Amino acid sequence: MTPTAPSAEAFQPKDYKSDLKPIWCPGCGDYGVVQAIYRALAAIGRPPHEIAFISGIGCSSRIPGYTSAYGFNSVHGRALPIAQGIKIARPDLLVLAAGGDGDGFSIGGNHVPHTIRRNLDLTYIVMDNQIYGLTKGQLSPTSPRGRETVTSAYGSMEAPVNPLLYVLAFGAPFVAQGTPADMAGLASIIEEGIRYPGFAFINVESPCVTYGEEDHQLKDHRAAMIPLQSLGHDPSSRIKAMDLAQEYGTKLYTGVFYRNPTPPPTFEALTRERQEKLSAGAPPREKILDLFIQR
Amino acid sequence: MSKDLVIGMAGSGGDGIVAAGESLIAAAAYQGYNAIMTKSFGSQIRGGESSCRIRLSTQPTLNPGGRLDVAVALNWEDFMRFGAELPVSGTTVVIYESKTGVAPDRLPLVGVSPAESLPVPIGDMAKQIAGTDRAKNTIVLGLLCGWFGIGEEAIRHGFRKRLKKKGAEVLEGAERAFAAGIAYAREHPLKQPRSLDPPEAQPGTKLLTDGNDMCAAAAIFAGCQFFSGYPITPSTEIMQFFSREIWKYGGALMQAEDEIAGIGAALGASFAGKKAMTATSGPGVSLKTEIMGLATIAELPLVVVNVQRGGPSTGMPTKSEQADLFQAVFSAHGDVLRPVLAPTCVADTFRVTVEAFNLAEKYQTPVVVLSDQEIAQRKETVDPIDTSAFHLEERRRPTPGEIEDYQRFRFTDSGISPLSHPGMCRGNYLGSGIEHNESGAPTASGSMHERMNEKRFRKLRPLRRRRDLFLIEGDPSAPLALVSWGSSAGVCREAAAKARAEGLQVKVLVPYLLYPVAEDIYREFFATVQAGLVVEQSYQGQLYRLLRMFLNVPAGIQPMARSGANPFLPSEVLTRLREVARELHRRHGHTLQPQE
Amino acid sequence: MTLRGIDFSKLSLKDALDLAILIEEEAQERYDEFSDQMDIHRTPEAAAFFRTMSGNEQRHGEELRKRRERLFPKEPRTVNRSMIFDIEAPDYDQARAFMTPRQAMQSALRSEEKAHAFFVAALPQIGDAEVRALFGELRDEEVEHQDLVKRAMAKLPPDSGPPPEGFVDDPVAQ
């Protein structure tokens, strides 16, 4: 991999760190995620005040507060609609959205396909730990069948959501997966997702050290992870990506699953086109009521 | 000659009766009349029963009017389905399709003998003259024109414009049918001629639109740059207006996947520094409630329009009601105070919507606008509005001094903190739904929470002194009072005017600002009042209850409240007001004898 | 730990010094993060130890910075943080709430061993003689650092008794 543009280091990773000290349990994967985000943002070099970082509710949704960007820690499952409103209103901003697997695929599930089909240039990072941590260990939509939790005392009876397959099927133009067990890889896919001109989905297997399974922690990720590059995977084929994505839950593939080589137009680009076309010769706002004059 | 004419027409969707109504009101507006048109339908998407009421007047019209002066029935089954919405009385001229085979003295109107009953071979005339019986509605226009003197030229001009795209054959057929209708009317004059006085205003000056379009236009005028929402009857037209127009003003629209995404995206746009709005009806507000609370604690401006319809739950989507006041005021977990405004007609929908944006931006709060289906979907003429007379508020942004060591929720005397937005250097902050301290960092401290609640409530206190958001008419010392809001207000103002003409001393209060309750303004109003009514369309009489929660409403003030889909008529309010006056006289010997 | 885009065979002395400084910075920041985590999770002894480690890394970094200033004053840096990940900084999963001082020191020891391994692996690839000398120096320092930590561990009283996990409160839902 070639290094990012040298010398003009406008910002250091710590410039993106806020003064708020995280309350995540020590050992939580999310510490790695936020560090990887600092690295990715430093590599990109946008000033913190031009970044908007929106989240829902959950342990992982605390993440905007630990960055120096304009953060919005909103309500459960609604990060994507709010992020879209921000991006449409101010397409010049760098917009990030984040949350957990429950925030994104349970209560927030309906917003995922529509955000994807609108294709705004924003990056959605899901910290997937197969559990509801903030509320003390309940079943989550990505928990495997049979998993015993405080709300599935005898084991989950449901098949889990496959977030990778979902977003690929919904048409996301950029889909990647990472783990804090591989910090360089994680920072790299986050950077790439941000740079991709369209909606980017990054699933991060970020284990919960308090409620997660003992054998699904970072040390296990390190051993189990399989970089997609090492398989010679071609990320320009959605079908090949979906084929690999089917193994979510059994294999931990890291890297870029899919990258649409011909990025589709973004909602905000189409908005700008329409605004330019229709505002030429339009009357001023003060005369809008002229539309109602009966002639 | 009359100054005021209320025409009610019914048929089935295929008869084009509403299209005729649209032509009629457009012509009348062009001519310079004051006019209001309401429509009512069955539940089929098309082809069901369909009706419209048009009130035309040389005087300002405050409501769609009372009993019909003219009733047009293309068939009786459909006409009767509308029941009390098309009230025929002894002064009504009834025009109906002769092919129904009903004899003029055998109309299916129970206990009513109309002034005149005129069977007309409308369908046959249409077939003969225009080649299709679908031209019935144009025949009807001709009849109305011929019998009541409503602008012939204006109507012709109107359907020429409308039908030009449908081809020469259709246009010619329509012209012939229209002429035939006029001729028939002239050949069969009314026993008691009744034509409308010519209008006082100049032709081509009046605006004609409905409440939804007016709301959207006002929002854009106020600087709204972002709208997102979800289709729901009866508010969807607001989004549709944005879909056509917002781009021209550099703004954007997003039709969201659900109600929650609709308000979420609007809140995001506000967070990003733009004026933003969403619109819905009762069921949508239920879904949006969580994010409305988020806007309150995050202290972000946001306008939420609720075009009220019959509730609860799915209720009656195409009918008007005023039963979402409790929801607008109280539906929130936690201690939430948010301003609630309500227009009373299409004309004041403009200033109420503009004011909603002003309050939202100034006080950094969500503001609910309670319109209702009647105002939203009725067409009304509006006198030209001088937009230059309106002041537009912008949110208080941090000055260069204030951005030093910026604290988003800094305690200030007014309770309003300077508000930054992404892109503003050094203004970075964490917005959130979690309780926070001055810098926005999460807190679980009871004392900080108390101070923040206090701030959020205190900043809205100046609203209690906003006399300009109340309409008060009549003798200030009057002992009788009417209080009303939304679409019921215009009915009450007309009833009160009639009551005053009979010698009753009655004054009217119409709040545009429903919440917070401006206690002092009400107290001052009620100080002279011995008896009266709070008139509204909700089973519980929600404004009446709300006022009693916050102040001592005089014991003589009673609710005149009933469920929606049954709008008050001025005559009903007048009758009840006379009863109240009589009762008061009986009890106190006051000299307010109504003259009957 | 990972490196990106570093060609050791062509690595210049300036870049090597800068990389070494970045490695120390990363470690210092990480130990700061760990001590904050320990403070917030009321594990003061581990917090104090991590703070000491942060101080050590800061000092090492200062020494390297001074050397760099002397040799290459005012020359801009051409390497950056994207090129190094967790070389000497302890991996995030090394921290645990209620960790004992021994556990904290063990994590530091593992980090020094990691750093040592980095320099050992890099050395055979280095082209420039001065850089080789520098890396040799740094490799040896890592051994010294490990000894420091081992000595500190030796001073600890033996871990005795049941693990703290058995006595701490249950987690709290938020």
Side-chain angles (χ1 to χ4, degrees), chain B residues 258-275:
Chain B
D258 59 40
E259 294 277 0
I260 299 172
I263 190 173
L267 187 64
S270 180
F271 175 76
K274 305 282 172 151
K275 295 187 186 180

Side-chain angles (χ1 to χ4, degrees), chain A residues 255-276:
Chain A
V256 178
F257 275 75
Y258 179 66
R259 185 196 300 116
N260 188 334
T262 39
T266 63
F267 190 91
E268 62 272 25
L270 294 172
T271 298
R272 153 104 3 107
E273 248 176 63
R274 182 169 297 183
Q275 286 163 342
E276 276 165 8

Side-chain angles (χ1 to χ4, degrees), chain B residues 404-438:
Chain B
E404 292 297 321
D405 190 29
Y406 177 65
Q407 293 196 296
R408 165 66 188 100
F409 300 102
R410 185 161 62 82
F411 291 122
T412 61
D413 290 338
S414 65
I416 301 169
S417 322
L419 170 57
S420 67
H421 57 256
M424 189 181 282
C425 193
R426 315 249 286 289
N428 311 36
Y429 74 96
L430 177 69
S432 69
I434 209 165
E435 186 60 283
H436 42 252
N437 62 21
E438 289 179 274

Side-chain angles (χ1 to χ4, degrees), chain A residues 24 26 31 35 39 134 211, chain C residues 26 37 41 81 84 171 174:
Chain A
W24 295 320
Y31 282 106
Q35 175 68 219
R39 303 288 186 110
L134 190 74
Y211 296 107
Chain C
E26 188 192 37
Q37 287 182 36
H41 290 85
R81 283 282 285 268
I84 55 133
Q174 292 293 325

Side-chain angles (χ1 to χ4, degrees), chain C residues 24-54:
Chain C
E24 299 298 327
E25 260 177 24
E26 188 192 37
Q28 180 199 332
E29 281 173 19
R30 191 64 49 87
Y31 282 119
D32 281 339
E33 274 189 82
F34 274 24
S35 59
D36 283 342
Q37 287 182 36
M38 291 303 122
D39 277 337
I40 291 198
H41 290 85
R42 307 295 184 270
T43 312
E45 290 165 318
F49 173 71
F50 287 132
R51 214 156 266 127
T52 320
M53 288 304 298
S54 166

Side-chain angles (χ1 to χ4, degrees), chain B residues 305-327:
Chain B
V305 178
N306 175 3
V307 181
Q308 298 167 95
R309 71 193 213 179
S313 186
T314 306
M316 299 183 298
T318 57
K319 300 295 180 193
S320 197
E321 192 164 62
Q322 296 179 269
D324 294 350
L325 179 57
F326 283 169
Q327 179 193 53

Side-chain angles (χ1 to χ4, degrees), chain A residues 22-272:
Chain A
I23 46 80
W24 295 320
C25 304
C28 175
D30 296 352
Y31 282 106
V33 179
V34 75
Q35 175 68 219
I37 290 173
Y38 300 151
R39 303 288 186 110
L41 292 174
I44 287 168
R46 286 293 290 277
H49 69 267
E50 290 178 14
I51 301 171
F53 197 172
I54 305 94
S55 63
I57 297 282
C59 283
S60 55
S61 284
R62 303 251 180 173
I63 201 167
Y66 307 137
T67 72
S68 60
Y70 274 88
F72 200 163
N73 187 180
S74 70
V75 291
H76 199 27
R78 315 298 172 192
L80 288 179
I82 294 174
Q84 288 175 83
I86 294 172
K87 186 69 183 179
I88 296 170
R90 290 288 306 271
D92 56 307
L93 298 171
L94 191 163
V95 178
L96 303 171
D101 42 288
D103 193 80
F105 290 96
S106 198
I107 186 168
N110 188 41
H111 303 307
V112 178
H114 298 280
T115 309
I116 289 173
R117 69 189 183 85
R118 275 182 212 111
N119 192 32
L120 289 117
D121 181 7
L122 53 91
T123 306
Y124 183 37
I125 300 166
V126 170
M127 280 152 273
D128 177 15
N129 60 9
Q130 292 94 39
I131 202 80
Y132 277 30
L134 190 74
T135 42
K136 270 180 74 170
Q138 296 82 16
L139 199 63
S140 103
T142 51
S143 305
R145 201 200 303 269
R147 173 89 157 90
E148 284 178 11
T149 69
V150 293
T151 48
S152 56
Y154 304 101
S156 161
M157 297 187 281
E158 301 165 14
V161 160
N162 180 333
L164 296 168
L165 204 55
Y166 275 26
V167 300
L168 284 165
F170 293 148
F174 183 97
V175 179
Q177 179 163 258
T179 160
D182 170 19
M183 286 296 295
L186 183 57
S188 170
I189 56 174
I190 292 175
E191 184 188 335
E192 216 193 310
I194 294 174
R195 288 188 193 276
Y196 187 84
F199 180 83
F201 178 78
I202 321 267
N203 198 53
V204 185
E205 291 296 298
S206 178
C208 175
V209 70
T210 301
Y211 296 107
E213 298 188 276
E214 241 328 287
D215 54 2
H216 274 69
Q217 298 297 319
L218 284 177
K219 60 181 182 348
D220 310 285
H221 286 179
R222 231 167 254 128
M225 57 180 262
I226 303 168
L228 288 166
Q229 266 197 319
S230 71
L231 300 175
H233 169 63
D234 169 21
S236 67
S237 160
R238 188 184 292 280
I239 294 294
K240 292 205 181 90
M242 289 173 79
D243 197 22
L244 291 166
Q246 287 187 97
E247 298 185 86
Y248 168 85
T250 49
K251 294 234 172 54
L252 177 50
Y253 291 125
T254 58
V256 178
F257 275 75
Y258 179 66
R259 185 196 300 116
N260 188 334
T262 39
T266 63
F267 190 91
E268 62 272 25
L270 294 172
T271 298
R272 153 104 3 107

Side-chain angles (χ1 to χ4, degrees), chain C residues 81-134:
Chain C
R81 283 282 285 268
S82 325
M83 295 167 170
I84 55 133
F85 282 89
D86 298 359
I87 306 293
E88 191 169 331
D91 296 334
Y92 277 109
D93 63 345
Q94 292 296 303
R96 283 292 183 280
F98 321 121
M99 66 195 306
T100 62
R102 184 178 305 275
Q103 285 167 329
M105 290 176 192
Q106 278 164 345
S107 76
L109 187 59
R110 276 192 283 274
S111 306
E112 304 290 358
E113 285 165 358
K114 243 196 334 185
H116 180 259
F118 166 76
F119 290 115
V120 163
L123 266 164
Q125 303 169 55
I126 306 272
D128 182 302
E130 282 182 310
V131 177
R132 240 201 315 276
L134 173 67

